[in-house]
Amino acid sequence: MKIKKTNETPTQKAGSRLVRFRSVLILLVVCGFSALQFVASEDIPEPAIAFAEENDLVVTESMPPIANPTRFQHSTQQHSRMPCLVCHVRSDNRSTPKMPGHVPCSSCHVQEFSGNTSPMCTICHTATGLKPFPGMKTFNAVFDHGQHLRETNCATCHKPAARGVALSIPARISSHTTCFQCHSPGKSVGGRNIDSCSTCHKPGRLVRTSQNAPAFSKNFSHAEHRVKGMNCSECHTVLARMPRGRQVTSPTASMHFARPNSSSCATCHNGRRAFGGDNFGDCRKCHEGRTFRF
């Protein structure tokens, strides 16, 4: 057998061996990576993927076990991170929020919506029909008087109540009728959308503002003062960026014992603008009933 002689130098021979070694190493790495991908695709199931056609919602993870499948909760991790408009799509100004139907619920809860025997069905359905929309007990209302005064006035939201003595405060589901005068579908202010539930409602305990005031027990009436041509700003001042219960000031319901330099009944009832001063003969104009006493 003849051995073919080459004219390669020792340096060239070493370079050739290095090239062959690198080629073999690259081939081994590629084969190993392909094998890992094959094993991973066999052992690890793909995540469940669902698509909600109406709202373009894509879910790319499997849903965890449901603690109570017969009760819907906004506060769960999966629900709280979803925009309100995914489920409550507004197309008109109806006061009751539009229910989402099976989509997008069925996009996530595929197994529960595969038949009509799942406990989840009882969240919305009875044996004879649909359940009424539940009250908002887990959502508080966020409202800023200062922000709204730039767009509207007090009379838009506050109407005469209790035969003119008080002024109403929008509350419960019927308050949407008042709010939707401005918060109509697709409405934006300053580039910010204001038609979604999250514009006004945040998770938390519902706290209602009382329509009763100490002045009402002293025979104060808004209607009588409006007849005199007075407006809201003569007695009430709006404070910006304050908690809801402290956004609007009110005069102290006191005349003869009011603190000096404070806003009270005596601010106007001083014997000059309106009856008052030291004339105690006018007491019965405000103090009525058997419980009146000094």
Side-chain angles (χ1 to χ4, degrees):
M1 184 173 93
K2 295 182 180 181
I3 298 176
K4 185 178 180 181
K5 294 182 180 181
T6 64
N7 295 324
E8 291 182 329
T9 64
T11 302
Q12 291 175 330
K13 290 181 179 180
S16 299
R17 287 196 298 271
L18 181 59
V19 171
R20 289 195 296 271
F21 176 78
R22 287 179 177 175
S23 301
V24 173
L25 181 60
I26 292 173
L27 181 61
L28 290 175
V29 171
V30 172
C31 293
F33 184 76
S34 301
L36 287 175
Q37 282 190 318
F38 178 80
V39 172
S41 63
E42 291 293 320
D43 296 339
I44 302 176
E46 294 183 357
I49 298 178
F51 180 70
E53 296 180 356
E54 293 182 0
N55 303 293
D56 296 334
L57 171 66
V58 178
V59 179
T60 57
E61 61 181 31
S62 299
M63 295 296 295
I66 304 172
N68 185 357
T70 63
R71 180 184 178 188
F72 178 85
Q73 292 181 321
H74 287 92
S75 58
T76 62
Q77 181 179 2
Q78 289 73 26
H79 293 152
S80 61
R81 69 185 183 184
M82 296 167 62
C84 302
L85 289 176
V86 169
C87 296
H88 301 293
V89 180
R90 290 189 58 200
S91 58
D92 52 38
N93 273 349
R94 70 178 70 186
S95 59
T96 303
K98 181 180 178 181
M99 298 302 292
H102 287 175
V103 177
C105 302
S106 60
S107 300
C108 298
H109 303 282
V110 179
Q111 182 176 352
E112 288 79 2
F113 279 82
S114 59
N116 59 1
T117 58
S118 171
M120 185 175 289
C121 297
T122 60
I123 295 177
C124 300
H125 296 273
T126 64
T128 57
L130 287 173
K131 293 181 178 179
F133 190 83
M136 276 194 314
K137 298 181 179 179
T138 57
F139 280 87
N140 201 1
V142 179
F143 187 86
D144 187 343
H145 281 87
Q147 191 175 35
H148 283 75
L149 277 180
R150 295 196 294 266
E151 306 292 338
T152 185
N153 56 55
C154 306
T156 301
C157 300
H158 302 291
K159 309 296 182 183
R163 299 181 301 280
V165 172
L167 292 177
S168 65
I169 298 176
R172 298 182 174 85
I173 203 70
S174 60
S175 64
H176 286 161
T177 303
T178 300
C179 301
F180 288 171
Q181 295 179 68
C182 300
H183 294 264
S184 55
K187 181 68 174 295
S188 295
V189 174
R192 176 174 175 259
N193 183 279
I194 62 168
D195 74 334
S196 174
C197 310
S198 59
T199 304
C200 302
H201 299 292
K202 307 295 180 185
R205 185 174 64 89
L206 180 61
V207 178
R208 303 191 187 280
T209 302
S210 174
Q211 291 186 181
N212 296 320
F216 298 159
S217 62
K218 305 296 191 296
N219 198 33
F220 175 86
S221 170
H222 279 92
E224 291 182 8
H225 286 76
R226 293 297 297 271
V227 170
K228 305 297 182 181
M230 298 179 64
N231 57 51
C232 304
S233 61
E234 293 190 54
C235 297
H236 303 286
T237 301
V238 174
L239 303 178
R241 296 183 295 276
M242 293 293 288
R244 190 178 62 183
R246 298 167 56 189
Q247 292 179 13
V248 182
T249 64
S250 296
T252 303
S254 179
M255 178 175 169
H256 309 291
F257 308 103
R259 297 190 305 272
N261 301 321
S262 66
S263 177
S264 66
C265 299
T267 302
C268 294
H269 293 274
N270 52 12
R272 294 185 294 274
R273 180 174 181 179
F275 68 86
D278 296 328
N279 184 7
F280 284 88
D282 292 326
C283 296
R284 291 292 179 181
K285 291 185 178 180
C286 293
H287 299 282
E288 296 179 343
R290 297 178 180 179
T291 60
F292 167 63
R293 63 180 183 276
F294 284 107

